[in-house]
């Protein structure tokens, strides 16, 4: 029985299953980097680890237990969880363009200059702050992604930032350009969501006025 698949077919499969692929990639990278990089360069290991750790975070958001899209639509936008303004297509493009591309690229660039990736641990900390803020705004004690953001990303990032300071990449833990870049980068997520969601509002308005 043939198992061949076209490029278009693979794209549609990946578009639907990217978060499951991310879990496999994250586990593979965690083992690979721990065995080959950690024993020789711990600070580079921490920078390279940012991408797979974020993929594990996405696993909580969209797989176990999942439901991040439904949470945003139901508890923040007060809309139908399945047909609200945020959908899986928008989530896919945001995660591909804003997480899967820049985090691995900056991790690889850290092999040449650690400063090119030093913003990522700060970004992970700010991501945890965002998830806490989402829970407060929705008046719910939990939202998908909160556990990994707070219990995994924050301790890891504190450790990674301490390694960066020990390597001389960061002089001041709280006042440096890397923290600023991480903060600006986290602001890009709601901005991308806002402009992505605007495409839903216009058709709705036309439909309402007709």
């Amino acid at each position: 029985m043939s198992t061949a698949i076209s490029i278009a077919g693979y794209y549609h499969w990946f578009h639907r299953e990217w978060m499951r692929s991310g879990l496999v990639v994250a586990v593979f990278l965690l083992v690979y980097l721990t065995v080959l990089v950690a024993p020789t360069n711990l600070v580079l290991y921490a920078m390279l680890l940012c991408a797979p750790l974020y993929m594990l975070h996405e696993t909580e958001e969209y797989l176990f237990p999942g439901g991040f899209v439904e949470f945003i639509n139901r508890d923040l936008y007060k809309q139908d969880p399945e047909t609200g303004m945020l959908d899986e297509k928008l989530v896919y493009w945001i995660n591909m363009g804003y997480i899967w591309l820049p985090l691995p690229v900056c991790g690889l660039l850290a092999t040449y200059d650690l400063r090119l990736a030093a913003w990522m641990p700060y970004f992970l900390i700010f991501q945890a702050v965002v998830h806490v803020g989402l829970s407060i705004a929705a008046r719910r004690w939990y939202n998908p992604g909160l556990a990994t953001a707070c219990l995994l990303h924050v301790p890891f990032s504190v450790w990674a930032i301490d390694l960066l300071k020990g390597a001389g990449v960061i002089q001041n833990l709280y006042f440096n350009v890397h923290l600023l870049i991480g903060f600006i980068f986290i602001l890009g997520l709601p901005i991308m969501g806002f402009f992505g969601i605007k495409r839903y509002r216009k058709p709705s308005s036309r439909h309402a006025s007709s």
Side-chain angles (χ1 to χ4, degrees):
M1 182 177 179
S2 176
T3 58
I5 184 173
S6 66
I7 294 177
Y10 178 80
Y11 167 76
H12 290 300
W13 173 86
F14 183 75
H15 193 288
R16 184 179 64 253
E17 306 291 348
W18 66 270
M19 69 291 292
R20 293 177 175 82
S21 301
L23 175 58
V24 175
V25 171
V27 172
F28 171 79
L29 287 177
L30 285 171
V31 175
Y32 183 85
L33 295 173
T34 299
V35 172
L36 295 183
V37 180
T40 58
N41 193 329
L42 203 56
V43 64
L44 176 60
Y45 167 71
M47 297 302 99
L48 291 170
L49 217 57
C50 291
L53 287 184
Y54 201 98
M55 291 177 183
L56 290 180
H57 170 67
E58 292 171 330
T59 299
E60 183 192 359
E61 288 183 315
Y62 304 110
L63 284 180
F64 312 117
F68 184 75
V69 172
E70 292 78 6
F71 162 78
I72 294 294
N73 285 331
R74 179 186 62 243
D75 297 301
L76 290 183
Y77 294 143
K78 308 302 180 184
Q79 297 179 347
D80 184 272
E82 303 295 334
T83 61
M85 290 192 293
L86 185 63
D87 68 357
E88 300 289 349
K89 183 177 181 180
L90 180 57
V91 165
Y92 168 80
W93 285 112
I94 289 177
N95 279 279
M96 289 300 105
Y98 214 72
I99 300 299
W100 281 51
L101 180 61
L103 265 62
V105 167
C106 287
L108 291 174
L109 290 175
T111 61
Y112 299 97
D113 190 338
L114 289 168
R115 292 174 295 180
L116 297 175
W119 62 273
M120 293 194 294
Y122 287 104
F123 166 70
L124 294 182
I125 290 177
F126 287 127
Q127 178 69 5
V129 174
V130 167
H131 272 278
V132 172
L134 289 175
S135 283
I136 294 173
R139 297 182 180 180
R140 295 175 64 91
W141 70 274
Y142 174 79
N143 64 82
L146 179 67
T148 48
C150 293
L151 302 180
L152 178 62
H153 285 182
V154 171
F156 163 79
S157 296
V158 171
W159 172 69
I161 292 169
D162 183 64
L163 288 176
L164 288 168
K165 189 174 187 302
V169 177
I170 294 174
Q171 304 303 321
N172 189 303
L173 297 177
Y174 308 104
F175 299 97
N176 60 75
V177 68
H178 309 294
L179 184 150
L180 179 61
I181 294 172
F183 179 71
I184 293 173
F185 200 77
I186 197 65
L187 292 180
L189 285 174
I191 291 173
M192 288 183 66
F194 172 77
F195 284 106
I197 285 170
K198 281 185 68 176
R199 67 189 177 91
Y200 291 92
R201 295 178 176 174
K202 292 179 180 179
S204 300
S205 300
R206 289 196 297 266
H207 179 75
S209 60
S210 60

